[in-house]
Every structure is written in C-alpha cells, then in structure tokens.
Amino acid sequence: ARPRYPFVDARETSAGLRRSAGCFGAITLDHNPCACRTQESVLKVRTNYKSDSPLMPLKFLVIEGNVKGPRERHRDTYGKTYSDSYGSVLQSIEPDSLYDVAFPADEGANLPDIAGLESYDGIYLTGSALNAYHATPEILRQVDLMRAAFKSRTPVFGSCWGLQMGALAAGGDVQANPLGREVGFARR
C-alpha cells in the first residue's frame, strides 16, 4: 500500500485539510488501472515539516463528469475543462501534489479498480452537463465508479454532479427540480 501523508497542523503548511475524513466522503471503483493523464510521472519525495522522514506527495484522482463534446466546448469557452480547473485548485493548495484525471463518461475509458483507487489520497468528482436522472451508459459508468470509490474507502469530494453520483451510488434517488435548473454564481 502507498504510504499515507500524515496529518500536519494547518498552521505549519498550506494543506490543513490533508487527511481529515470529515471533509470528504468515501467512494470506490471496480475497473482497470488508471492510465489516464498524469501531471508528473515521477513522484518527488518531500520532507516532513516535523522530522526528516521522506514522504510521498499527495496524489489525487479527479473524475471528469462530462462527455467529450461538452468537455471540449467548456475548454474552448473558458480555457479549461472542469477537471483541469479542479487540478489547478488542488495544486494551488498543495503545490507538490500530483493528480490524474479519469473520464468515466467516455465509452472505453481506462478506469482504476479498487486497488487503484486506494492508491490515491483523495478523489474529486467534478460537475457535469449530464442529467443524473437519466440512466444512460455514460451516467451508469460514473455511478459504478463512485460505488468502487466507496468500497476503496478513499476520501471523496463531490461537487454538484459528484454529489448526485454519490447519492445514486449509495442507493439514493436523483430527480429533476420541478422549479427548473438551479445555477449558482460567485463574484470576487
């Protein structure tokens, strides 16, 4: 098993949420080893702030919720896909972290199995233009991946779409809002 990054006090580093299980959910997957996309292929060894023991950098899996068409349109319009945006935020919080991206909505995607999911320090599910209440193959693959993530007991964070996938994977139900689509805006 991959050595886990020990908890380090938030006052000492920029990554105060390192291994706080209360900040994440838990998810698991049963597919093939992930060979998606890695920002770096060589893991750098870090030094613990409290001792001289070497530690592995944090490694995350970002699961892109969109199929190829909407994913490319989003990138062309905004400069990044959802998964690229999540990866950028993770690396702004923990600069030495590594992340892989999985595309379970794409048919034939090479997805990690439970052992592969266990190798990550955290899993993040992005948003999506899909509708969770349609039981199409691209949605069912994502629900299956979320079930596997739960089985792996790796901490998981789902935002919007990711939360819906988590609810479905846990046996819940997702329905269309009778008042229409809800969209939030942020301002700086």
Side-chain angles (χ1 to χ4, degrees), residues 63-67 82 102 104-105 125-130 138 142 161:
I63 300 173
E64 170 72 50
N66 281 309
V67 293
Y82 288 164
L125 279 80
T126 71
S128 179
L130 297 172
E138 56 272 4
Q142 295 185 63
W161 175 256

Side-chain angles (χ1 to χ4, degrees), residues 1 7 16 26 28 33 35 55 59 67 92-93 96 101 110 125 130 142 147 156 161-162 169 178 188:
F7 180 81
T28 309
L55 298 171
K59 184 177 175 188
V67 293
S92 73
I93 296 168
D96 292 333
V101 178
N110 189 14
L125 279 80
L130 297 172
Q142 295 185 63
R147 284 186 184 127
V156 174
W161 175 256
R188 287 189 174 204

Side-chain angles (χ1 to χ4, degrees), residues 112-186:
D113 59 12
I114 291 176
L117 292 168
E118 289 173 345
S119 73
Y120 293 100
D121 295 296
I123 300 171
Y124 292 83
L125 279 80
T126 71
S128 179
L130 297 172
N131 293 306
Y133 42 87
H134 296 141
T136 60
E138 56 272 4
I139 293 168
L140 296 176
R141 284 190 294 271
Q142 295 185 63
V143 172
D144 288 343
L145 182 56
M146 183 62 89
R147 284 186 184 127
F150 286 142
K151 288 178 187 172
S152 78
R153 302 190 50 82
T154 302
V156 174
F157 173 83
S159 175
C160 192
W161 175 256
L163 185 59
Q164 293 175 56
M165 294 297 97
L168 290 172
D173 187 32
V174 176
Q175 297 179 10
N177 183 347
L179 301 176
R181 191 175 184 106
E182 181 178 328
V183 179
F185 294 93

Side-chain angles (χ1 to χ4, degrees), residues 6-16 18 49-50:
F7 180 81
V8 177
D9 192 300
R11 292 169 292 180
E12 296 182 57
T13 73
S14 63
R18 280 193 204 284
Y49 291 92
K50 294 184 178 183

